[in-house]
Amino acid sequence: MHTLTAAAVQMVSGTHPETNIDTMRRLVRQAAERGADWVLLPEYWPLMGARDTDKLAFAEPLGAGAFQTAMSEIARECNIVLFGGTVPLQSGEAGKVLNTLLVYGRDGAPIGAYDKMHLFGYSGLGERYAEADTIAAGAAVPRLSADGINVAAGVCYDVRFPEFFRAQQPFEVLLLPAAFTHTTGQAHWTLLLRARAVENQCYVVAAAQGGLHESGRRTFGHSMIIDPWGEVIDELPEGEGVVIAPLDAARLASVRTRLPALAHRLL
C-alpha cells in the first residue's frame, strides 16, 4: 500500500434528490480542495424519504440515471476515486430496490459495485425498521480495489458481521457508508468500527448520515476515519461536512509487523 488521503462525506439528506445532489457535489469539491484522493459518500445520500417506499420511484437502471451521472461527473471533475455511498438501483423484484455502492475512477468510469447484503431490522423504543420490505439483498461479497490497493466494503448493518469482512481479506482499507439510527449508533457505532479496524489491522473510513431529517428520522452521524491500531484520526459528530486524513502506509506496516495477528490466523 502507498500513502494517500481519504475523506468521508457526512450529509443530512432530505426528501428532494436534486437538493441532495447539489449538496453531494459541494461537499465532494470541499474534500478534493483539501487534498482528498479518495472520497466516500454516505448511505442513502440521494434520498431519505418520508416513507421507506419513496425510493422505489427513484430507482435507476445500472449505468444510467441522475444519481450515477452526478457521481461520474464529480469524480472526473475533481480527479478522485469516488466511493458512491449507496443509491437505489432497479432490482427486477417487484416493490424492491438494490441498495448499491458504486465506485468511480478519476476518469468518471465505473470501476466496481456492491449490493448491500445484510438488511437492517430493528424494533424498540417507538422505532421500527425493516429494510427487507423494500430492499432486495445482494448476493455477492465485494472484491474491490483502487489505485492498486485492496479495499473491503460494507454498508451500514454489514458492520455487525465480522466474518463478512474476513471473507474479503486481504485488504488494507475498509470503507463503510451508513445511515445508522441514533439509538443503535449511540450504543454501538464507534465500538463496531474500531473493532473492525483492530481485528483486520486496517484503516476504516466511515461516512454517515448525521442529523434530524425531513422525514423525522434521526441518524447518528459521527463519520470517522480510524487507523489500524483502532485510533480515531478524524470525526464529525453531527451535521453535514467532511472528515479527512492520510492513510499512512508506514503506519499500516508498523502495526502489522509489531503485532502480526493476521499472519497468526488459524481459521
Side-chain angles (χ1 to χ4, degrees):
M1 172 178 163
H2 57 273
T3 298
L4 57 82
T5 298
V9 166
Q10 184 161 292
M11 293 176 60
V12 188
S13 295
T15 58
H16 297 92
E18 299 83 1
T19 302
N20 297 327
I21 289 172
D22 289 344
T23 300
M24 180 275 288
R25 287 184 175 126
R26 174 169 51 82
L27 293 172
V28 170
R29 288 181 182 122
Q30 284 183 20
E33 288 165 2
R34 294 174 61 185
D37 301 294
W38 291 3
V39 179
L40 174 66
L41 301 178
E43 185 180 27
Y44 298 138
W45 71 263
L47 180 73
M48 290 285 281
R51 295 166 299 277
D52 286 346
T53 52
D54 288 357
K55 57 183 171 283
L56 300 176
F58 295 98
E60 298 180 345
L62 180 62
F67 305 148
Q68 294 168 81
T69 297
M71 290 188 293
S72 173
E73 289 177 349
I74 199 68
R76 184 171 61 251
E77 174 193 325
C78 294
N79 192 34
I80 56 164
V81 177
L82 183 70
F83 297 88
T86 67
V87 298
L89 295 186
Q90 295 171 2
S91 71
E93 186 174 346
K96 295 187 178 183
V97 302
L98 292 166
N99 191 21
T100 303
L101 165 66
L102 297 169
V103 188
Y104 295 87
R106 290 180 177 81
D107 59 357
I111 59 172
Y114 163 61
D115 302 323
K116 183 178 183 180
M117 294 179 69
H118 297 99
L119 302 182
F120 179 57
Y122 174 81
S123 60
L125 302 175
E127 298 176 282
R128 180 186 179 275
Y129 301 97
E131 287 188 328
D133 289 349
T134 56
I135 295 174
V141 173
R143 301 290 178 190
L144 301 177
S145 65
D147 293 334
I149 297 171
N150 292 323
V151 174
V155 175
C156 201
Y157 193 47
D158 284 333
V159 76
R160 293 184 181 272
F161 302 90
E163 67 279 10
F164 173 73
F165 299 102
R166 285 296 205 208
Q168 298 180 58
Q169 285 283 5
F171 59 85
E172 291 75 45
V173 182
L174 190 161
L175 299 164
L176 191 95
F180 251 61
T181 71
H182 191 270
T183 301
T184 58
Q186 193 169 42
H188 301 143
W189 171 252
T190 303
L191 171 68
L192 289 165
L193 291 172
R194 292 186 68 196
R196 299 296 84 84
V198 170
E199 71 199 9
N200 291 293
Q201 298 186 311
C202 68
Y203 281 96
V204 170
V205 182
Q209 295 279 351
L212 184 61
H213 301 264
E214 290 177 84
S215 63
R217 179 173 173 176
R218 186 180 180 192
T219 48
F220 185 61
H222 293 266
S223 295
M224 62 181 68
I225 299 176
I226 305 169
D227 83 358
W229 196 245
E231 299 294 329
V232 177
I233 309 170
D234 196 12
E235 180 177 3
L236 177 61
E238 280 196 318
E240 66 178 37
V242 173
V243 295
I244 188 166
L247 309 185
D248 188 334
R251 173 67 166 165
L252 182 81
S254 174
V255 168
R256 291 184 172 187
T257 299
R258 287 184 289 121
L259 180 62
L262 292 175
H264 293 161
R265 286 175 56 204
L266 298 178
L267 299 176

